Amino acid sequence: MLLDTHFHYDFLAPQLRPAFDEALRAQDVQVVAQTLLPSAYRELRQVTDPAEPLLSLGFHPWWMTSPAQVEAELEIFETEVTSTRLIGEIGLDFLPRRLETSPADLQLESLHRILSAVLQTAAGQPAEKPYLLSLHAVHATTAMLDLFEDLDLPGSPVVPAIHRFGGTSDELTRLMKLGGCISVHPQMLESKRGRAYVRQVPADRLLLETDLPKQPTDSLDVQFFAQEVGGRLHQLVEGISSERGVDFLPILLENQRWLYSL
């Protein structure tokens, strides 16, 4: 079974989800459902089989709109963090247009509190069952890595995975030294730099992702969409295998097994 480690399940209207789940099973695919708000995770957890999809508790930086809103959502996060070891989508985005609505200091303070809550909950967790962070980092990778070091993330049972990694080679090297992973999006294999990163990263630090759907939807052909998700994952396996010069499927399956207990 292939795992899409960064999928926006909550973008699918509730009435579409049962048929989509069934169609995914037929593709031998499972997804990690990233959430944009802790409140959205709580709502999804109340109505979703926890094994299908794998639910991930997140607070996306784009959705941090005011100190009061952030405080309310972080209170939910700190309550729900004991319910899962999958955390995401979280992170930092320092693009100017994002900073207009979500200031850098608010993002940094929020991420610090998120990571602190995760680290406290993960304390004593066995290495074979780490907490996994699915991270958004845009123009902010160095700031994020600084925060990981400040909080001694490498000394904890927490694995950071930056999705659609677009940082520098030095930042990638630093992420690897911190015990991190990257989840490979199809667009990474379309650029020279992305392909170089796929070749450069240690084999046990690579995961797959589609980052689909691209936007909320209440109408689509779930059979076709499930096939698209499965097709993209298989194309990623082929692309990574080509770049690495080896059949990468067994390695990816092992990576999924130890990180996600699949």
Side-chain angles (χ1 to χ4, degrees):
M1 176 176 288
L2 289 179
L3 183 67
D4 184 346
T5 66
H6 196 97
F7 185 88
H8 289 286
Y9 187 83
D10 54 355
F11 280 0
L12 297 175
Q15 68 269 19
L16 298 175
R17 294 170 189 166
F20 178 70
D21 292 344
E22 183 177 351
L24 275 186
R25 286 195 297 272
Q27 294 292 314
D28 206 18
V29 166
Q30 194 167 16
V31 301
V32 179
Q34 307 297 322
T35 48
L36 304 177
L37 291 167
S39 55
Y41 168 86
R42 171 176 281 177
E43 292 173 4
L44 196 58
R45 190 164 76 90
Q46 292 172 347
V47 297
T48 305
D49 182 339
E52 183 183 27
L54 304 178
L55 298 183
S56 186
L57 170 62
F59 193 0
H60 197 294
W62 295 356
W63 272 258
M64 297 175 181
T65 57
S66 71
Q69 178 259 0
V70 165
E71 178 61 31
E73 290 291 345
L74 287 178
E75 287 182 3
I76 297 173
F77 186 97
E78 290 165 347
T79 299
E80 296 291 341
V81 71
T82 59
S83 69
T84 180
R85 60 186 181 88
L86 304 181
I87 307 298
E89 180 173 3
I90 60 173
L92 299 171
D93 193 320
F94 289 173
L95 276 175
R97 64 190 177 96
R98 299 301 182 189
L99 295 176
E100 291 177 3
T101 56
S102 185
D105 58 349
L106 185 63
Q107 292 187 42
L108 284 164
E109 291 168 8
S110 300
L111 185 58
H112 187 285
R113 187 162 157 186
I114 286 168
L115 294 175
S116 297
V118 172
L119 287 166
Q120 182 177 354
T121 305
Q125 185 79 2
E128 62 270 19
K129 288 187 177 293
Y131 273 63
L132 190 68
L133 313 178
S134 191
L135 295 151
H136 175 106
V138 177
H139 289 204
T141 305
T142 291
M144 181 181 292
L145 296 173
D146 288 345
L147 187 53
F148 292 166
E149 291 177 349
D150 290 345
L151 292 171
D152 193 24
L153 205 70
S156 71
V158 174
V159 176
I162 296 183
H163 96 103
R164 286 200 190 209
F165 184 85
T168 66
S169 180
D170 287 345
E171 288 170 334
L172 180 61
T173 299
R174 195 175 166 198
L175 174 65
M176 294 301 105
K177 288 181 179 178
L178 290 170
C181 301
I182 62 172
S183 53
V184 181
H185 184 273
Q187 286 184 347
M188 290 186 66
L189 295 176
E190 296 174 1
S191 71
K192 182 178 179 180
R193 185 173 68 165
R195 292 191 297 272
Y197 288 170
V198 167
R199 294 191 299 270
Q200 176 183 345
V201 169
D204 63 351
R205 309 291 187 85
L206 290 175
L207 299 166
L208 307 179
E209 68 158 279
T210 67
D211 201 18
L212 290 173
K214 296 179 180 179
Q215 59 188 8
T217 181
D218 59 6
S219 177
L220 57 74
D221 183 329
V222 293
Q223 297 292 333
F224 179 83
F225 185 50
Q227 291 173 6
E228 179 183 2
V229 173
R232 291 195 183 197
L233 294 178
H234 284 285
Q235 289 172 4
L236 279 169
V237 174
E238 293 174 2
I240 295 171
S241 298
S242 177
E243 293 298 327
R244 306 280 305 208
V246 64
D247 179 7
F248 214 72
L249 179 59
I251 299 170
L252 284 165
L253 293 177
E254 177 60 19
N255 294 349
Q256 294 174 183
R257 185 201 64 76
W258 81 267
L259 284 172
Y260 297 91
S261 301
L262 296 179

